[in-house]
Amino acid sequence: MKRCLRENVLMNDGNPEKKIYYGEKEFLEAVDLISKDIQEKFGNKKFGIIGVARGGLPLLVAVSHRIDARRVDVVQVKMTNSDQKWDYGTAEIVNSTLDDSFDEYILFEDIVSHGRSVNLLVNELLKKGKKVIAIYSLVLNEDMENLQLDHEDMDIVFVHKITQKQWVNFMWENGYVE
């Protein structure tokens, strides 16, 4: 199930000509909404949290502080060697840390755009006997609302939505200028 934590409308009305700058204000709003949702939905349940490197790391760190999760894991998923827009390749895990004391995990991503990295990571965790209880993302590509994931029973929770033709410039990225 895909679920938006705020008004489920396209950023910049879906206009690909208007640049999207995802700055401190948008980020902190998203962190607040995501942290609150996790606390309400999972309470005192024991779960691990994993950030997908590179983009999911700022969200992972910020939310971990808000929900008081001291241990965090990181998985680096390689999609391409370039920073060019829409230059996707085949997803592959190149490095990971995993606290094996958890059976269930929440994943953090900056954008869920096509599902390749999410599917890869979920499938790898399942092979290890682990379960993903939710995926939280700052942004969801609206095309994902109709794409099939390998495991449709997982929640993908997001804060903002874009079209396939839009590009998000995050404040932590090289060249971010608002």
Side-chain angles (χ1 to χ4, degrees), residues 127-170:
K127 286 179 192 174
K128 295 178 180 194
K130 308 298 180 182
K131 180 180 179 184
V132 174
I133 55 176
I135 299 163
Y136 284 88
S137 179
L138 297 171
V139 178
L140 178 82
N141 176 333
E142 73 171 346
D143 291 349
M144 275 300 299
E145 291 182 311
N146 299 317
L147 290 179
Q148 295 297 313
L149 292 174
D150 291 350
H151 309 282
E152 284 294 326
D153 58 329
M154 289 181 307
D155 284 342
I156 296 180
V157 184
F158 61 99
V159 179
H160 296 96
K161 184 168 63 173
I162 62 170
T163 70
Q164 181 64 38
K165 294 182 180 182
Q166 290 177 292
W167 188 262
V168 178
N169 299 282
F170 289 103

Side-chain angles (χ1 to χ4, degrees), residues 3 10 18-19 21 34 51-53 66-67 71 83 91 94 106 113 117 125 129 131 137 141 148 157 173-174:
R3 181 169 53 94
L10 291 168
K18 189 173 179 186
K19 288 189 175 191
Y21 293 102
I34 289 170
V52 180
R66 300 275 173 94
I67 66 171
R71 297 185 295 192
D83 283 331
V94 293
I106 293 175
S113 180
S117 59
L125 287 167
K131 180 180 179 184
S137 179
N141 176 333
Q148 295 297 313
V157 184
E173 292 178 330
N174 188 24

Side-chain angles (χ1 to χ4, degrees), residues 79-110:
M79 296 280 294
T80 180
N81 286 325
S82 84
D83 283 331
Q84 298 301 310
K85 291 180 180 181
W86 303 290
D87 182 14
Y88 303 119
T90 302
E92 79 179 88
I93 294 175
V94 293
N95 193 4
S96 75
T97 63
L98 185 64
D99 183 345
D100 219 18
S101 67
F102 294 106
D103 293 324
E104 297 181 324
Y105 292 89
I106 293 175
L107 307 182
F108 294 95
E109 252 296 22
D110 57 350

